[in-house]
Amino acid sequence: MSITVLNAGLLTTVQDMGRVGYQQFGISVSGVIDPRAAATANILVGNAQEEAVLECTLLGPQLRFDAANTIALTGGDLGALLDGQPLPTYRAVAVQAGQTLRFQAPRTGCRAYLAFAGGLDIPLVMGSRSTDLKAKLGGFQGRPLKKDDVIR
């Protein structure tokens, strides 16, 4: 499974439940803003609750699925469309290779969580896959997603 970022949106990052135990060294916990929504998304696709997700802020990304998978979207309603059709939230949805997910605009809330069956192929840094923007650590190259990124 891989995902190609066609448009990164306002702020889309890889997050999990955070990097605990390194605060005395100046490393923040990072992690998802809404742990319940992220955990629910993971449960819906059969992952462990702590698995990394995409945290989408306000104007979510536009993503192309390069292989079939199962996804779940939870948290705020950012007007998600799968190939132009409304994507149901809080349920597992099968996606096919070539389909595109995009977000229109926030309706309720400001962060949505997108989980992928099998998780994201992102290396652990200090026990977490979370993006720490200030330290440029973890996540996808320590930064928000941008156009043409490919995540496996």
Side-chain angles (χ1 to χ4, degrees), residues 17-34:
M17 296 303 164
R19 191 171 285 106
V20 179
Y22 298 93
Q23 293 73 40
Q24 69 268 29
F25 304 111
I27 304 296
S28 70
V29 173
S30 300
V32 295
I33 298 290
D34 185 344

Side-chain angles (χ1 to χ4, degrees), residues 44 71-77 79-82 85-95 101 103 107 113-114:
L44 288 167
I71 62 171
L73 183 66
T74 61
D77 180 358
L81 300 173
L82 182 63
Q85 299 301 312
L87 179 70
T89 58
Y90 288 90
R91 64 180 63 161
V93 176
V95 293
L101 173 67
F103 295 82
R107 295 179 180 148
Y113 297 89
L114 184 59

